[in-house]
Amino acid sequence: MKFTLGWLKDHLDTTADAAAVADAMTMAGLEVEHVHDPIAALAPFTVAKIVSAERHPNADRLQVCQVETVDGIKEIVCGAPNARAGLTTIYAPIGAYVPGLGVTLVEKPVRGVVSNGMLCSGAELELADDSDGILELSDDLAVGTPAAGVFGAEPVIDFEVTPNRPDWLGVAGIARDLAAAGVGTLTTPAIDAVPGAFPCPVSVRIEAPELCPVFAGRLIRGVKNGPSPDWLKHRLTAIGLRSINRLVDVTNLIAYDRARPLHVYDRAKLVGDQIVVRAGQAAKDTGEPEHLIALDGKTYTVSAADCVIADASGERPIGLGGVMGGESTGCSDETTDVFLEAAWFDPLVIAQMGRSLGISSDAQYRFARGVDPASLVPGIELATRLILDLCGGEASDIVVTGQAPADPAGFAFDPAHVKRLSGLDLADDRIAKILTDLGFVVMRGSPWTVTPPSWRRDVEGPADLVEEVARIEGFDALPDAPLPGAGASSRGVLNPRQSRVRIARRALAALGYAEAVTWSFTRRETAALFGGGDETLVLENPIASDLDCMRPSVLPNLIQAAARNAARGHADAALFEIGPIYLTDQPDGQRTVIAGLIAPHAARHWAGPAEDALFALKADLTTVLDEIGAPTGSLQLVQGQNRDWWHPGRSARLQLGPKVVMAEFGALHPRVLKALDADGPMLGFEIVLDAVPEPRGPKNKSGATKARGAADLPNLMPLSRDFAFLVDDGQAVGDLVRAATGADKALIRSVGVFDVYRGQGVPDGMKSVALEVIIQPREATLAEAEIEALSARIVAAVEKLGARLRS
């Protein structure tokens, strides 16, 4: 929305300049975007007169002019076809910046003749001028007269209108707010009624009141159309509008002056004596949607949701209601009788029409935000007076069809709300004055009753009134009292699960895994590969077609992420994610898991592939379990019972008894990888965080586990003993480790496997497992007899599993 300072002063008696007005608008809540002062831009330019014009000696299309300027006689080279002796025009001296060209003039020769300045066209000064040559001004102008005074240049203020304030789309509405803010006195002229000289011969029929509930108009006959006077042209061109003719310019002026869009129809081009307001319809003979050639020359296809203005037959559309008129009834210089329209259209309908038709006209922009319904008749009266003054003629009575929306209802308001919500300590009289100056009707009582004006339908309650008072009083007047202190900040306390999640995240990052954050959804077919896809987990309204099911496992998302990385040249991935999975066989249907995935694709090397990554994955899994406090020493390793997305011979599970499965790990089945378009091998694990028991330990008074005590660091050197056992090939090595560890938990610090052998010297169906046992003395150095006794207990514990010491 743009307006000039002079235009504003038609409604506001003020001595404020453009900068002061812009500052006041900003403080009143209007978002000023730019203030353009053409007076400053035109300061270097003055009136000059051409004394003589001779052909350039080296160019047929150039003339060498002797020009009388404010700086004396100057020789200027000019290429304009209308440059001639005696012409009064505008002169730009050397050093002036020409806005239309974006250049600063310098003294330089033009085809061998030095030009000491420039004679300007309207385009070069960014003025609305259609001529091809330099400006032609009145001979009465004195040489040296500033160009800004010649063209009536004045500052233009451009600001953004918020959707809830359609009244700001008229200069009168801006002036009202500025007057309330104390910038000046509101002087908007009253609108005097123009008595009708005869009954209006054109009637109105509304067939779609849901689109247009009220429609008003009057006929003005005997008008003389033509170019607008200079004051009207300048007012419109200053804000970027093109002057068309007197009738159209009047409607544009009122749209920007009073936020009241109007439209004029050439009466001679209307068929019949009736205007019909209806919805768009299809042609009866062909069934095709109707079309309209609008004033912009484009053809638009009208739908049943659009508002159409038609003539008496009801068949021929002559306008798009609230958006744009039709070319068939547009006014021209030959127009003598006009029908003037003022209507109120439903804002939602007009907004949708603008989007569907791709039109954003001045009328559509205003109607979509909500025009004041009470402005119908005043708008017609104001336009009528201007048309009669500019074009002559006589006006008929006004016809009004339909019922305008009711004015906003009053509501209770306690002025104490102002201090409670904003902190402003204002007297009741000041609050009442602000609201009254803004057009609200205030009836004092206990409480007050405040009725919004017809143009403020955005005000619906006490909080809206407080905002009005605050912005007019000034947001800079709001108290800056500090907020009350919140006291000492409480330290965050993590519950055991949150603590484990944080520890697991850090542990996996330290192991070289990168964290992935993926959707909790997946494709239903993918979920079926991992035991999901049940109907109860399918989403009714998914965000995407390939995310239509809650995930039963994190692994498919990690597999697809690794595949995407591989497709982009990063095949050797190590990813992890901690998040929920969704299962139908659980009481609450949800579990939290810690999932990891590696895609070992090491670079080719002459030494061949690295050792099996499965053992490295198991080591990572064990590390994470140790870090989160899982009882890894009590876990059983079970093979052959994993679900079918795991490789049957290269996967296992860790469990606390047959009912508590804590983790599954191993290689992903090639069938699953192929279905997900991923290249193998890929290995992964999933830890069910809910299945990890909380660590046992002493509790404090609040029931939380106490912090661990001082470290127990022995002062004696440990020693090691190696044992080799023959066991069945199917025997889990972990069982031997647990048995050896349990032989003496006080002295045995750790047990590790350092060799597994099958081959010569080992019977078929058996394997040799070598264990290293680290013994840590506590009280005193162990004697040889004590070491032998401990070794015997270790052998006895392992032999209970069917193993025998290898000789």
Side-chain angles (χ1 to χ4, degrees):
M1 172 69 184
K2 294 181 180 180
F3 64 92
T4 63
L5 184 61
W7 195 342
L8 176 68
K9 290 184 176 181
D10 286 350
H11 298 272
L12 187 70
D13 183 9
T14 181
T15 59
D17 59 11
V21 169
D23 290 342
M25 291 174 62
T26 299
M27 296 309 299
L30 290 86
E31 302 177 22
V32 177
E33 293 189 337
H34 181 63
V35 178
H36 174 61
D37 189 357
I39 297 176
L42 293 176
F45 303 91
T46 55
V47 172
K49 182 168 292 188
I50 301 177
V51 177
S52 65
E54 304 292 339
R55 179 176 296 178
H56 192 291
N58 301 318
D60 292 339
R61 295 186 179 182
L62 298 178
Q63 298 187 75
V64 179
C65 303
Q66 304 299 319
V67 183
E68 183 183 0
T69 73
V70 68
D71 301 321
I73 298 295
K74 296 287 184 179
E75 186 173 72
I76 299 174
V77 177
C78 181
N82 61 333
R84 60 186 183 274
L87 177 66
T88 302
T89 186
I90 294 296
Y91 155 73
I94 297 298
Y97 176 78
V98 183
L101 300 178
V103 299
T104 299
L105 297 181
V106 295
E107 185 177 323
K108 64 178 182 178
V110 180
R111 293 289 183 94
V113 178
V114 175
S115 183
N116 298 285
M118 178 180 180
L119 302 179
C120 302
S121 66
E124 289 161 345
L125 298 182
E126 294 187 331
L127 301 174
D129 184 76
D130 295 333
S131 63
D132 294 331
I134 57 178
L135 288 164
E136 298 190 20
L137 306 179
S138 171
D139 293 336
D140 298 335
L141 292 173
V143 171
T145 302
V150 173
F151 301 112
E154 54 182 333
V156 178
I157 299 174
D158 185 7
F159 73 101
E160 183 69 26
V161 179
T162 55
N164 67 317
R165 292 303 303 270
D167 57 306
W168 283 345
L169 289 168
V171 179
I174 303 166
R176 184 188 304 111
D177 276 27
L178 291 175
V183 178
T185 304
L186 189 65
T187 59
T188 298
I191 299 176
D192 298 326
V194 177
F198 57 94
C200 182
V202 179
S203 62
V204 177
R205 184 174 84 246
I206 298 178
E207 296 181 354
E210 71 280 4
L211 306 180
C212 174
V214 61
F215 191 105
R218 81 185 322 168
L219 184 72
I220 305 175
R221 64 190 182 191
V223 300
K224 182 175 177 59
N225 199 11
S228 294
D230 289 343
W231 71 267
L232 182 52
K233 285 183 179 180
H234 290 159
R235 179 148 292 183
L236 296 178
T237 56
I239 62 173
L241 295 181
R242 182 172 61 90
S243 175
I244 299 175
N245 55 52
R246 296 173 194 170
L247 293 172
V248 176
D249 288 355
V250 164
T251 63
N252 287 335
L253 177 73
I254 295 175
Y256 278 81
D257 188 73
R258 302 299 177 99
R260 162 37 67 184
L262 303 167
H263 187 65
V264 285
Y265 301 92
D266 189 330
R267 173 66 181 85
K269 299 176 182 178
L270 292 175
V271 176
D273 295 327
Q274 190 174 60
I275 296 291
V276 180
V277 184
R278 59 172 175 80
Q281 62 188 20
K284 293 181 179 179
D285 51 348
T286 64
E288 295 292 327
E290 60 185 343
H291 297 78
L292 172 73
I293 303 176
L295 288 172
D296 60 1
K298 298 179 181 179
T299 301
Y300 296 97
T301 301
V302 183
S303 72
D306 298 332
C307 183
V308 171
I309 310 299
D311 54 20
S313 66
E315 298 296 328
R316 185 183 70 141
I318 58 174
L320 300 169
V323 177
M324 187 175 290
E327 187 180 75
S328 61
T329 56
C331 295
S332 64
D333 290 349
E334 289 73 34
T335 299
T336 57
D337 298 345
V338 295
F339 182 75
L340 178 62
E341 166 204 303
W344 192 88
F345 300 93
D346 183 88
L348 294 178
V349 172
I350 303 305
Q352 182 58 43
M353 285 180 65
R355 285 192 293 269
S356 61
L357 297 174
I359 302 177
S360 181
S361 62
D362 286 339
Q364 189 272 340
Y365 188 79
R366 286 162 172 76
F367 279 121
R369 282 155 178 76
V371 172
D372 180 9
S375 67
L376 268 78
V377 172
I380 285 182
E381 297 285 16
L382 180 59
T384 301
R385 172 54 57 197
L386 286 171
I387 290 174
L388 295 181
D389 290 346
L390 297 177
C391 306
E394 59 178 350
S396 73
D397 296 332
I398 297 176
V399 294
V400 180
T401 303
Q403 183 65 44
D407 289 339
F411 52 84
F413 175 67
D414 183 354
H417 282 320
V418 173
K419 181 172 178 58
R420 183 172 64 85
L421 296 182
S422 71
L424 291 171
D425 192 4
L426 302 178
D428 289 357
D429 289 345
R430 174 58 178 161
I431 296 173
K433 184 177 187 308
I434 290 175
L435 295 177
T436 302
D437 289 346
L438 291 174
F440 294 86
V441 177
V442 178
M443 296 182 62
R444 298 201 187 191
S446 184
W448 294 3
T449 298
V450 179
T451 304
S454 59
W455 60 83
R456 289 303 305 274
R457 295 176 182 270
D458 60 302
V459 176
E460 299 177 345
D464 296 326
L465 296 179
V466 173
E467 181 183 359
E468 294 300 301
V469 172
R471 72 180 183 85
I472 296 301
E473 184 65 19
F475 290 125
D476 55 343
L478 294 174
D480 56 358
L483 293 173
S489 59
S490 59
R491 292 182 298 172
V493 178
L494 301 179
N495 61 36
R497 172 177 294 190
Q498 292 171 329
S499 179
R500 283 175 165 172
V501 167
R502 184 172 66 173
I503 292 171
R505 181 175 286 115
R506 292 179 176 178
L508 285 163
L511 291 169
Y513 288 72
E515 184 173 10
V517 180
T518 67
W519 294 105
S520 293
F521 324 111
T522 187
R523 186 189 295 272
R524 187 176 184 182
E525 292 79 3
T526 302
L529 296 172
F530 289 79
D534 188 89
E535 188 67 33
T536 58
L537 298 179
V538 176
L539 302 174
E540 292 183 0
N541 187 25
I543 60 175
S545 60
D546 58 346
L547 298 172
D548 60 349
C549 184
M550 306 303 292
R551 65 183 182 186
S553 170
V554 179
L555 290 173
N557 290 1
L558 293 181
I559 292 171
Q560 291 172 324
R564 285 193 294 271
N565 277 273
R568 288 160 178 79
H570 302 283
D572 195 17
L575 306 173
F576 80 93
E577 181 176 0
I578 304 176
I581 61 173
Y582 304 89
L583 308 169
T584 57
D585 59 350
Q586 299 295 331
D588 58 358
Q590 182 172 321
R591 286 289 182 269
T592 301
V593 300
I594 304 170
L597 180 122
I598 60 174
H601 291 81
R604 292 186 298 175
H605 193 268
W606 62 269
E611 63 179 82
D612 197 340
L614 181 57
F615 293 105
L617 178 80
K618 182 186 176 185
D620 293 344
L621 171 60
T622 304
T623 300
V624 175
L625 290 172
D626 282 336
E627 290 291 331
I628 65 176
T632 52
S634 303
L635 293 178
Q636 301 173 354
L637 187 143
V638 179
Q639 292 180 274
Q641 296 186 20
N642 276 19
R643 288 168 286 189
D644 58 3
W645 57 86
W646 298 104
H647 194 297
R650 293 174 54 78
S651 62
R653 61 170 52 173
L654 297 175
Q655 60 186 37
L656 282 172
K659 294 185 179 180
V660 183
V661 178
M662 192 174 296
E664 291 185 340
F665 70 96
L668 278 306
H669 201 291
R671 170 183 54 83
V672 173
L673 298 179
K674 182 178 180 181
L676 296 180
D677 196 22
D679 294 331
M682 289 189 183
L683 302 93
F685 63 81
E686 271 192 335
I687 301 171
V688 181
L689 196 57
D690 309 77
V692 180
E694 293 188 19
R696 296 178 182 178
K699 306 287 185 178
N700 57 25
K701 292 182 179 180
S702 63
T705 303
K706 289 183 179 179
R708 65 177 63 181
D712 181 16
L713 300 177
N715 57 359
L716 298 175
M717 289 293 293
L719 64 146
S720 67
R721 288 291 183 269
D722 296 340
F723 302 87
F725 294 96
L726 290 174
V727 295
D728 290 338
D729 202 13
Q731 178 72 51
V733 175
D735 295 340
L736 277 63
V737 173
R738 281 190 295 273
T741 304
D744 192 324
K745 294 183 178 180
L747 290 175
I748 297 176
R749 189 174 73 181
S750 65
V751 178
V753 179
F754 67 86
D755 184 50
V756 178
Y757 172 72
R758 300 175 183 87
Q760 186 176 0
V762 176
D764 292 340
M766 302 190 76
K767 60 186 174 183
S768 172
V769 178
L771 304 180
E772 181 186 28
V773 180
I774 305 298
I775 303 170
Q776 178 62 64
R778 294 288 177 177
E779 303 297 334
T781 302
L782 297 178
E784 187 66 28
E786 292 174 315
I787 297 174
E788 293 297 334
L790 177 58
S791 298
R793 292 197 299 273
I794 293 172
V795 172
V798 176
E799 286 181 344
K800 289 180 181 180
L801 299 178
R804 70 176 186 270
L805 189 65
R806 186 179 177 188
S807 57

